[in-house]
PDB file of all heavy atoms in Angstrom:
ATOM      1  N   LYS R 305      91.511  96.334  70.240  1.00 93.00           N
ATOM      2  CA  LYS R 305      90.706  97.355  69.558  1.00 93.00           C
ATOM      3  C   LYS R 305      90.690  98.664  70.319  1.00 93.00           C
ATOM      4  O   LYS R 305      90.277  99.685  69.777  1.00 93.00           O
ATOM      5  CB  LYS R 305      89.265  96.853  69.419  1.00 93.00           C
ATOM      6  CG  LYS R 305      89.070  95.884  68.281  1.00 93.00           C
ATOM      7  CD  LYS R 305      87.599  95.619  68.115  1.00 93.00           C
ATOM      8  CE  LYS R 305      87.325  94.785  66.878  1.00 93.00           C
ATOM      9  NZ  LYS R 305      85.918  94.351  66.852  1.00 93.00           N
ATOM     10  N   ASP R 306      91.031  98.642  71.613  1.00 92.00           N
ATOM     11  CA  ASP R 306      90.961  99.895  72.367  1.00 92.00           C
ATOM     12  C   ASP R 306      92.216 100.170  73.196  1.00 92.00           C
ATOM     13  O   ASP R 306      93.114 100.842  72.736  1.00 92.00           O
ATOM     14  CB  ASP R 306      89.684  99.940  73.215  1.00 92.00           C
ATOM     15  CG  ASP R 306      89.348  98.610  73.866  1.00 92.00           C
ATOM     16  OD1 ASP R 306      90.284  97.938  74.317  1.00 92.00           O
ATOM     17  OD2 ASP R 306      88.152  98.263  73.926  1.00 92.00           O
ATOM     18  N   VAL R 307      92.268  99.629  74.408  1.00 93.00           N
ATOM     19  CA  VAL R 307      93.397  99.948  75.288  1.00 93.00           C
ATOM     20  C   VAL R 307      94.359  98.760  75.326  1.00 93.00           C
ATOM     21  O   VAL R 307      94.135  97.754  74.668  1.00 93.00           O
ATOM     22  CB  VAL R 307      92.905 100.306  76.711  1.00 93.00           C
ATOM     23  CG1 VAL R 307      91.892 101.424  76.660  1.00 93.00           C
ATOM     24  CG2 VAL R 307      92.312  99.098  77.408  1.00 93.00           C
ATOM     25  N   VAL R 308      95.428  98.898  76.105  1.00 94.00           N
ATOM     26  CA  VAL R 308      96.399  97.810  76.207  1.00 94.00           C
ATOM     27  C   VAL R 308      95.827  96.706  77.095  1.00 94.00           C
ATOM     28  O   VAL R 308      95.390  96.953  78.212  1.00 94.00           O
ATOM     29  CB  VAL R 308      97.732  98.319  76.793  1.00 94.00           C
ATOM     30  CG1 VAL R 308      98.729  97.181  76.918  1.00 94.00           C
ATOM     31  CG2 VAL R 308      98.304  99.425  75.948  1.00 94.00           C
ATOM     32  N   HIS R 309      95.775  95.503  76.565  1.00 95.00           N
ATOM     33  CA  HIS R 309      95.400  94.321  77.349  1.00 95.00           C
ATOM     34  C   HIS R 309      96.584  93.355  77.307  1.00 95.00           C
ATOM     35  O   HIS R 309      97.599  93.639  76.684  1.00 95.00           O
ATOM     36  CB  HIS R 309      94.174  93.635  76.744  1.00 95.00           C
ATOM     37  CG  HIS R 309      92.963  94.506  76.646  1.00 95.00           C
ATOM     38  ND1 HIS R 309      92.059  94.668  77.663  1.00 95.00           N
ATOM     39  CD2 HIS R 309      92.506  95.290  75.640  1.00 95.00           C
ATOM     40  CE1 HIS R 309      91.092  95.483  77.293  1.00 95.00           C
ATOM     41  NE2 HIS R 309      91.340  95.894  76.064  1.00 95.00           N
ATOM     42  N   ALA R 310      96.447  92.208  77.950  1.00 94.00           N
ATOM     43  CA  ALA R 310      97.481  91.178  77.819  1.00 94.00           C
ATOM     44  C   ALA R 310      96.827  89.815  77.787  1.00 94.00           C
ATOM     45  O   ALA R 310      95.887  89.544  78.535  1.00 94.00           O
ATOM     46  CB  ALA R 310      98.489  91.262  78.958  1.00 94.00           C
ATOM     47  N   PHE R 311      97.336  88.989  76.890  1.00 95.00           N
ATOM     48  CA  PHE R 311      96.788  87.657  76.668  1.00 95.00           C
ATOM     49  C   PHE R 311      97.609  86.665  77.479  1.00 95.00           C
ATOM     50  O   PHE R 311      98.832  86.579  77.313  1.00 95.00           O
ATOM     51  CB  PHE R 311      96.885  87.346  75.168  1.00 95.00           C
ATOM     52  CG  PHE R 311      96.487  85.950  74.790  1.00 95.00           C
ATOM     53  CD1 PHE R 311      95.178  85.665  74.417  1.00 95.00           C
ATOM     54  CD2 PHE R 311      97.426  84.926  74.773  1.00 95.00           C
ATOM     55  CE1 PHE R 311      94.822  84.377  74.046  1.00 95.00           C
ATOM     56  CE2 PHE R 311      97.068  83.644  74.409  1.00 95.00           C
ATOM     57  CZ  PHE R 311      95.759  83.365  74.050  1.00 95.00           C
ATOM     58  N   TRP R 312      96.941  85.916  78.345  1.00 94.00           N
ATOM     59  CA  TRP R 312      97.712  85.004  79.205  1.00 94.00           C
ATOM     60  C   TRP R 312      96.916  83.760  79.527  1.00 94.00           C
ATOM     61  O   TRP R 312      95.815  83.839  80.078  1.00 94.00           O
ATOM     62  CB  TRP R 312      98.109  85.723  80.510  1.00 94.00           C
ATOM     63  CG  TRP R 312      99.140  84.982  81.313  1.00 94.00           C
ATOM     64  CD1 TRP R 312     100.103  84.154  80.850  1.00 94.00           C
ATOM     65  CD2 TRP R 312      99.314  85.015  82.734  1.00 94.00           C
ATOM     66  NE1 TRP R 312     100.885  83.682  81.875  1.00 94.00           N
ATOM     67  CE2 TRP R 312     100.414  84.193  83.051  1.00 94.00           C
ATOM     68  CE3 TRP R 312      98.648  85.680  83.770  1.00 94.00           C
ATOM     69  CZ2 TRP R 312     100.854  83.999  84.351  1.00 94.00           C
ATOM     70  CZ3 TRP R 312      99.097  85.487  85.070  1.00 94.00           C
ATOM     71  CH2 TRP R 312     100.193  84.660  85.351  1.00 94.00           C
ATOM     72  N   ILE R 313      97.470  82.598  79.184  1.00 94.00           N
ATOM     73  CA  ILE R 313      96.931  81.314  79.634  1.00 94.00           C
ATOM     74  C   ILE R 313      98.028  80.710  80.508  1.00 94.00           C
ATOM     75  O   ILE R 313      98.967  80.087  79.988  1.00 94.00           O
ATOM     76  CB  ILE R 313      96.605  80.378  78.454  1.00 94.00           C
ATOM     77  CG1 ILE R 313      95.776  81.120  77.417  1.00 94.00           C
ATOM     78  CG2 ILE R 313      95.859  79.135  78.949  1.00 94.00           C
ATOM     79  CD1 ILE R 313      95.654  80.367  76.117  1.00 94.00           C
ATOM     80  N   PRO R 314      97.955  80.915  81.820  1.00 93.00           N
ATOM     81  CA  PRO R 314      99.105  80.589  82.681  1.00 93.00           C
ATOM     82  C   PRO R 314      99.583  79.152  82.550  1.00 93.00           C
ATOM     83  O   PRO R 314     100.784  78.894  82.652  1.00 93.00           O
ATOM     84  CB  PRO R 314      98.584  80.857  84.092  1.00 93.00           C
ATOM     85  CG  PRO R 314      97.450  81.799  83.908  1.00 93.00           C
ATOM     86  CD  PRO R 314      96.839  81.472  82.585  1.00 93.00           C
ATOM     87  N   ARG R 315      98.681  78.197  82.308  1.00 93.00           N
ATOM     88  CA  ARG R 315      99.121  76.799  82.276  1.00 93.00           C
ATOM     89  C   ARG R 315      99.696  76.400  80.922  1.00 93.00           C
ATOM     90  O   ARG R 315     100.228  75.305  80.775  1.00 93.00           O
ATOM     91  CB  ARG R 315      97.963  75.872  82.655  1.00 93.00           C
ATOM     92  CG  ARG R 315      97.538  76.045  84.116  1.00 93.00           C
ATOM     93  CD  ARG R 315      96.576  74.973  84.538  1.00 93.00           C
ATOM     94  NE  ARG R 315      97.160  73.644  84.407  1.00 93.00           N
ATOM     95  CZ  ARG R 315      96.443  72.521  84.348  1.00 93.00           C
ATOM     96  NH1 ARG R 315      95.124  72.582  84.398  1.00 93.00           N
ATOM     97  NH2 ARG R 315      97.035  71.363  84.234  1.00 93.00           N
ATOM     98  N   LEU R 316      99.576  77.279  79.916  1.00 93.00           N
ATOM     99  CA  LEU R 316     100.072  76.908  78.587  1.00 93.00           C
ATOM    100  C   LEU R 316     101.302  77.693  78.138  1.00 93.00           C
ATOM    101  O   LEU R 316     102.163  77.148  77.449  1.00 93.00           O
ATOM    102  CB  LEU R 316      98.966  77.074  77.544  1.00 93.00           C
ATOM    103  CG  LEU R 316      97.724  76.202  77.729  1.00 93.00           C
ATOM    104  CD1 LEU R 316      96.801  76.352  76.535  1.00 93.00           C
ATOM    105  CD2 LEU R 316      98.100  74.735  77.915  1.00 93.00           C
ATOM    106  N   ALA R 317     101.399  78.982  78.491  1.00 90.00           N
ATOM    107  CA  ALA R 317     102.514  79.781  77.979  1.00 90.00           C
ATOM    108  C   ALA R 317     102.654  81.057  78.788  1.00 90.00           C
ATOM    109  O   ALA R 317     101.857  81.335  79.678  1.00 90.00           O
ATOM    110  CB  ALA R 317     102.298  80.128  76.505  1.00 90.00           C
ATOM    111  N   GLY R 318     103.678  81.830  78.450  1.00 88.00           N
ATOM    112  CA  GLY R 318     103.852  83.147  79.051  1.00 88.00           C
ATOM    113  C   GLY R 318     102.813  84.102  78.513  1.00 88.00           C
ATOM    114  O   GLY R 318     101.951  83.726  77.727  1.00 88.00           O
ATOM    115  N   LYS R 319     102.892  85.364  78.941  1.00 90.00           N
ATOM    116  CA  LYS R 319     101.882  86.307  78.482  1.00 90.00           C
ATOM    117  C   LYS R 319     102.437  87.207  77.393  1.00 90.00           C
ATOM    118  O   LYS R 319     103.657  87.345  77.244  1.00 90.00           O
ATOM    119  CB  LYS R 319     101.349  87.126  79.645  1.00 90.00           C
ATOM    120  CG  LYS R 319     102.292  88.167  80.191  1.00 90.00           C
ATOM    121  CD  LYS R 319     101.527  89.148  81.081  1.00 90.00           C
ATOM    122  CE  LYS R 319     102.378  90.351  81.426  1.00 90.00           C
ATOM    123  NZ  LYS R 319     101.611  91.462  81.957  1.00 90.00           N
ATOM    124  N   ILE R 320     101.514  87.790  76.624  1.00 92.00           N
ATOM    125  CA  ILE R 320     101.928  88.745  75.593  1.00 92.00           C
ATOM    126  C   ILE R 320     100.906  89.875  75.585  1.00 92.00           C
ATOM    127  O   ILE R 320      99.716  89.638  75.770  1.00 92.00           O
ATOM    128  CB  ILE R 320     102.048  88.061  74.214  1.00 92.00           C
ATOM    129  CG1 ILE R 320     102.810  88.936  73.222  1.00 92.00           C
ATOM    130  CG2 ILE R 320     100.686  87.699  73.640  1.00 92.00           C
ATOM    131  CD1 ILE R 320     104.287  88.703  73.249  1.00 92.00           C
ATOM    132  N   ASP R 321     101.385  91.103  75.412  1.00 93.00           N
ATOM    133  CA  ASP R 321     100.478  92.244  75.471  1.00 93.00           C
ATOM    134  C   ASP R 321      99.663  92.362  74.191  1.00 93.00           C
ATOM    135  O   ASP R 321     100.127  92.014  73.104  1.00 93.00           O
ATOM    136  CB  ASP R 321     101.262  93.539  75.678  1.00 93.00           C
ATOM    137  CG  ASP R 321     101.753  93.667  77.115  1.00 93.00           C
ATOM    138  OD1 ASP R 321     101.467  92.760  77.905  1.00 93.00           O
ATOM    139  OD2 ASP R 321     102.423  94.661  77.430  1.00 93.00           O
TER     140      ASP R 321
END
Side-chain angles (χ1 to χ4, degrees):
Chain R
K305 280 188 173 171
D306 40 39
V307 305
V308 179
H309 301 274
F311 174 92
W312 192 29
I313 310 168
R315 293 190 60 199
L316 298 187
K319 73 165 191 165
I320 195 89
D321 285 0

